[in-house]
Amino acid sequence: MPSGPELTGMRKAAVLMILLGEEVAGKLIKHLSPEQAARIAREVATLGPIDPQLADGVLQDYFSEALRPEERSGGAEFARRLLARAVPADQVDRLLGVQDPTAQFLKPVLEAPSGFLAGALAQEQPQAAALILLNLPPERSAGVLRSMPAAAQGEVLLRMASLRRVRGGMLGEIASSLGQRLQAGEQEPAKEAAEQGSLDGTAAVLSALNRNEMRRLLEELKGKDAERAAALHEKIFTFDSLALADGRGIQEMLRRIDTKKLAIALRDAGAAVSDKIMGNMSERAAGMLRDEIEVMGKGRPEEQQAARKEILALALELEQAGTLTFGEEGGNV
């Protein structure tokens, strides 16, 4: 078999697989594409006994490459991160004795709420998001990464792990641009959060009233502000409210609901709601419903939301007709 300079990269990989043994090589080859794995396997099939000198040369090449140190460099950012490990963050600039413009650019980023910053970074290129997160305190970066959409988390994490040197001013440019967008957009999320808080508080007050008073006030509000009335209605009347419905009303509701739709709605539902509904079915019907839920799998969230909304609307319609009643104890009803 060829040796020295005639040995191709693919054949060297095949030799290495043989030297590592079947178990270790099997774990390594899982990380290759099917085409790469097949090419190496074909090379392995053509190899006979491995010459000891060749084996030694391949192993030396492998460990030399594997242990080669990454390219390193100093600079203001490295000094800042190094010093931050030893002293409080607010003392870093003073102890360094220099005015780092990047710190100024990073200030809005550091002060932004994690959820807000996560949303802004999700709109950036993964490389840019990775660079920002690598220059924030680890706990802060972890919180922001956790708040990012699941689809973006893996991509950003990959860039963080593989990011090497970047152009000197790139962090400052990215942080400056991001900071401007954060400052421009921070008022809207604050307004939304305030409105959300007032809706939650109003819903809690309405839930403490009896059903007739609650419905009367919601109808009055509907005539003045239909959008807010609808938002309050959704907060007060939830799918979990069915756990407080009376048994006869639940039975009447079940006579009007398709089993498949009910299975979609009950998937991952709370135990109280599931127990209430299945407790008002025959043992055979409840068993069939459980089987339907198990066979169905996860499904689409929007489909489940639509099914729950339709079932809840039917329950509220039956309540209006006097066929179903809700208990009055605590919380949403």
Side-chain angles (χ1 to χ4, degrees):
M1 60 179 294
S3 61
E6 298 180 17
L7 198 65
T8 65
M10 194 58 65
R11 177 146 293 202
K12 285 175 70 174
V15 171
L16 179 63
M17 291 294 180
I18 295 172
L19 295 175
L20 291 175
E22 185 175 337
E23 184 176 348
V24 176
K27 293 178 181 179
L28 287 177
I29 207 165
K30 288 180 181 179
H31 297 280
L32 303 177
S33 68
E35 294 78 12
Q36 291 173 324
R39 289 179 61 192
I40 290 178
R42 286 195 293 269
E43 289 286 349
V44 169
T46 66
L47 293 173
I50 306 299
D51 179 75
Q53 187 176 356
L54 174 64
D56 185 61
V58 169
L59 286 174
Q60 283 188 24
D61 288 348
Y62 169 73
F63 285 112
S64 174
E65 184 66 29
L67 298 176
R68 178 180 299 169
E70 295 181 5
E71 186 177 349
R72 303 286 186 176
S73 67
E77 286 304 316
F78 184 84
R80 180 177 300 280
R81 293 197 298 271
L82 186 65
L83 192 57
R85 292 177 178 271
V87 301
D90 57 359
Q91 296 183 24
V92 171
D93 285 337
R94 179 180 61 80
L95 293 173
L96 279 176
V98 296
Q99 183 63 40
D100 184 2
T102 303
Q104 174 189 345
F105 297 138
L106 280 174
K107 187 177 179 182
V109 177
L110 288 166
E111 294 176 350
S114 292
F116 189 25
L117 178 57
L121 287 178
Q123 300 176 30
E124 296 280 349
Q125 290 294 325
Q127 294 93 329
L131 184 59
I132 291 293
L133 291 180
L134 284 172
N135 283 276
L136 297 180
E139 295 80 6
R140 169 73 162 150
S141 292
V144 173
L145 185 64
R146 190 184 301 116
S147 300
M148 293 183 73
Q153 289 176 352
E155 195 67 28
V156 171
L157 190 64
L158 175 62
R159 295 302 194 282
M160 290 173 69
S162 58
L163 197 64
R164 296 291 184 89
R165 295 180 61 185
V166 297
R167 182 167 53 83
M170 183 175 292
L171 174 61
E173 293 172 10
I174 294 173
S176 176
S177 174
L178 182 63
Q180 289 173 8
R181 288 203 289 112
L182 288 171
Q183 289 177 326
E186 65 184 0
Q187 294 181 354
E188 191 60 32
K191 178 183 176 184
E192 291 177 2
E195 290 181 352
Q196 189 67 29
S198 64
L199 281 174
D200 289 338
T202 305
V205 171
L206 288 172
S207 295
L209 302 174
N210 66 51
R211 309 261 318 165
N212 291 333
E213 290 174 325
M214 180 198 305
R215 285 186 175 278
R216 178 179 61 80
L217 290 172
L218 282 174
E219 283 299 318
E220 288 184 13
L221 179 61
K222 186 176 180 180
K224 300 174 182 177
D225 192 329
E227 185 177 346
R228 280 188 171 79
L232 283 169
H233 192 280
E234 288 186 3
K235 285 184 174 295
I236 295 168
F237 302 108
T238 70
F239 188 70
D240 289 338
S241 302
L242 294 176
L244 299 176
D246 70 299
R248 286 188 180 181
I250 289 288
Q251 292 166 21
E252 178 60 32
M253 183 188 77
L254 290 173
R255 282 192 276 271
R256 307 189 188 192
I257 301 172
D258 175 69
T259 303
K260 184 175 181 181
K261 185 166 294 181
L262 184 60
I264 292 171
L266 285 178
R267 188 181 62 238
D268 301 325
V273 178
S274 298
D275 291 347
K276 169 68 74 171
I277 290 178
M278 292 188 183
N280 282 281
M281 303 172 72
S282 69
E283 187 175 340
R284 178 174 175 274
M288 292 175 62
L289 179 59
R290 291 190 187 93
D291 291 341
E292 180 78 24
I293 294 172
E294 186 175 348
V295 170
M296 184 174 296
K298 284 193 172 294
R300 295 176 300 168
E302 59 271 19
E303 185 180 28
Q304 182 183 72
Q305 185 179 8
R308 289 182 175 183
K309 190 172 183 180
E310 183 176 335
I311 292 171
L312 180 60
L314 173 59
L316 294 175
E317 181 183 318
L318 291 174
E319 184 197 23
Q320 287 280 66
T323 310
L324 180 149
T325 59
F326 286 93
E328 297 290 342
E329 69 268 25
N332 290 344
V333 293

